[in-house]
Amino acid sequence: AVRDLGRIQPSLLIHGDLHATNILRADREPWLVVDPKGVVGDPAYDAGMAIKWQPLLHLPAADLRKTVHRLLAIFAEAAEIDRERACRWAQFHAVRASFWGRRHGFRRTRSGSRLDAITEYADRLAQLL
């Protein structure tokens, strides 16, 4: 997937860390996106960030699949990007998170049962995408 996705990289500036906690209600516009990483590449890349949302950890597998695919469909429609490409980038993010968690832990936890739960969640995402 990475080799395929990496072949086509438009010269667009994208957020690079677009997730729920970086989207705020604002006065000048209804929504304000903060804390950009400023990455040049595929706008579909940020689709993977849309599924890194803590409440999803607690969904059973069947509900997780349905919810994640719905979130990606909404993201792809709003961003006017290809849904399949968004799904493949999301899978990339899930696989990367799973490897990272096994090697380094996560910001929220470095060891123990919480690390196991987050890593398992990343594994489930990678498989269902």
Side-chain angles (χ1 to χ4, degrees):
V2 171
R3 273 185 249 137
D4 184 42
L5 291 168
R7 286 189 188 120
I8 303 169
Q9 288 299 306
S11 294
L12 295 172
L13 182 62
I14 60 173
H15 190 280
D17 193 26
L18 184 62
H19 55 79
T21 58
N22 280 345
I23 302 171
L24 309 174
R25 191 107 170 103
D27 291 330
R28 67 177 184 224
E29 295 289 334
W31 301 104
L32 179 65
V33 179
V34 298
D35 195 24
K37 300 302 181 239
V39 178
V40 174
D42 189 342
Y45 173 86
D46 276 328
M49 300 300 179
I51 60 172
K52 292 182 178 179
W53 189 39
Q54 290 294 313
L56 294 177
L57 281 168
H58 308 291
L59 290 176
D63 293 339
L64 179 63
R65 179 177 175 72
K66 181 178 169 184
T67 302
V68 165
H69 281 281
R70 180 71 180 130
L71 283 171
L72 290 172
I74 291 167
F75 182 91
E77 183 180 332
E80 298 178 351
I81 58 175
D82 179 67
R83 185 176 174 178
E84 179 61 29
R85 197 163 179 83
C87 188
R88 294 185 74 203
W89 274 115
Q91 185 179 40
F92 162 79
H93 283 283
V95 170
R96 184 177 69 172
S98 180
F99 280 114
W100 182 267
R102 284 178 169 78
R103 180 146 190 182
H104 305 286
F106 294 97
R107 185 179 77 229
R108 296 185 185 280
T109 184
R110 299 286 180 219
S111 62
S113 62
R114 183 138 169 87
L115 173 63
D116 294 342
I118 295 172
T119 305
E120 180 183 315
Y121 168 70
D123 289 346
R124 284 178 29 211
L125 281 178
Q127 290 171 3
L128 66 87
L129 290 168

